[in-house]
């Protein structure tokens, strides 16, 4: 048997295993999603560019890095680059914190009241100027309103649409949504993890 015939299927299996999302987990009225699944979703959603002044300026946000500390707010870091006149220049790294909300229309978790907590300039002594800060705040507000940081599988989200969300937070390094009823009786077996 040719070694090539063994290696190609093995590589395909590894690729599928690394791109597969783990199913959200359910326990009673609560559905949780792990930080690794949210990070993988974010990695596939970036880079993003926000234009201003009719396209004369553009802010590119890339390399998202998520952490889910204990409490009610997540931490998220991004690299920033500014483009003007066709040339792009790294600006630095911004760290934000944010609450979470679940939006049934997008079937996903969104940032809620994000705040910029820290900025590390790309060049020593650099600072974020007012136009970059304004563009960043504009992008952040738009992103929080329109784009989820993680989308629930449509089959699960369809079932969740009939339930009321009581709270969204972070528990044990996972995003947790608590509903008004037990999910086990609504979600078919096999759609969720244990």
């Amino acid at each position: 048997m040719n070694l090539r015939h063994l290696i190609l299927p093995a590589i395909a299996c590894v690729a599928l295993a690394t791109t597969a999302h783990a199913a959200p987990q359910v326990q009673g009225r609560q559905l949780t999603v792990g930080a690794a699944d949210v990070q993988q979703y974010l990695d596939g959603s970036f880079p993003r560019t926000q234009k201003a002044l009719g396209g004369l300026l553009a802010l590119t946000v890339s390399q998202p890095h998520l952490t889910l500390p204990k409490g009610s707010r997540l931490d998220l870091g991004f690299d920033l680059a500014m483009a003007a006149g066709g040339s792009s220049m790294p600006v630095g790294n911004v760290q934000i914190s944010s609450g979470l909300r679940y939006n049934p229309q997008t079937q996903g978790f969104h940032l809620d009241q994000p705040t910029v907590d820290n900025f590390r300039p790309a060049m020593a002594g650099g600072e974020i100027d007012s136009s970059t800060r304004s563009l960043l705040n504009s992008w952040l507000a738009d992103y929080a309103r329109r784009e989820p940081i993680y989308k629930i599988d449509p089959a699960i989200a369809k079932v969740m649409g009939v339930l009321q969300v009581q709270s969204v937070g972070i528990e044990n390094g996972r995003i947790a949504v608590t509903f008004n009823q037990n999910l086990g009786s609504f979600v078919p077996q096999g759609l969720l993890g244990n």
Side-chain angles (χ1 to χ4, degrees):
M1 180 174 248
N2 188 336
L3 185 60
R4 177 185 268 168
H5 293 293
L6 293 174
I7 291 176
L8 291 177
I11 291 171
C13 288
V14 169
L16 284 173
T18 58
T19 59
H21 285 276
Q25 295 180 350
V26 166
Q27 186 170 12
R29 297 181 309 130
Q30 192 173 71
L31 177 137
T32 63
V33 179
D37 287 330
V38 178
Q39 181 66 55
Q40 187 175 11
Y41 183 87
L42 285 169
D43 289 343
S45 300
F46 282 84
R48 293 180 171 268
T49 300
Q50 175 80 23
K51 294 183 180 181
L53 302 174
L56 292 175
L57 289 176
L59 178 72
T60 299
V61 182
S62 62
Q63 302 298 318
H65 179 73
L66 172 79
T67 54
L68 298 176
K70 190 173 183 177
S72 61
R73 295 178 69 81
L74 59 80
D75 293 328
L76 195 53
F78 300 100
D79 287 342
L80 303 176
M82 182 67 80
S87 62
S88 182
M89 175 176 170
V91 174
N93 180 275
V94 67
Q95 299 291 319
I96 69 166
S97 63
S98 180
L100 288 167
R101 65 184 171 84
Y102 178 75
N103 183 334
Q105 282 75 36
T106 62
Q107 302 174 337
F109 297 104
H110 291 252
L111 300 178
D112 186 38
Q113 300 178 7
T115 60
V116 176
D117 296 338
N118 190 21
F119 174 73
R120 289 190 320 263
M123 293 180 236
E127 291 185 24
I128 191 167
D129 63 26
S130 61
S131 63
T132 304
R133 182 176 294 278
S134 175
L135 195 52
L136 174 62
N137 285 330
S138 173
W139 173 81
L140 194 54
D142 184 60
Y143 179 76
R145 183 175 39 78
R146 295 186 328 146
E147 299 293 331
I149 63 165
Y150 182 83
K151 280 185 91 161
I152 300 292
D153 178 276
I156 297 169
K158 182 178 178 183
V159 172
M160 289 169 44
V162 301
L163 303 173
Q164 293 178 352
V165 174
Q166 290 187 322
S167 67
V168 179
I170 299 167
E171 293 182 17
N172 301 319
R174 298 177 68 83
I175 294 176
V177 184
T178 303
F179 293 92
N180 64 331
Q181 297 180 45
N182 189 326
L183 289 169
S185 58
F186 289 94
V187 180
Q189 289 292 336
L191 281 181
L192 299 170
N194 297 336

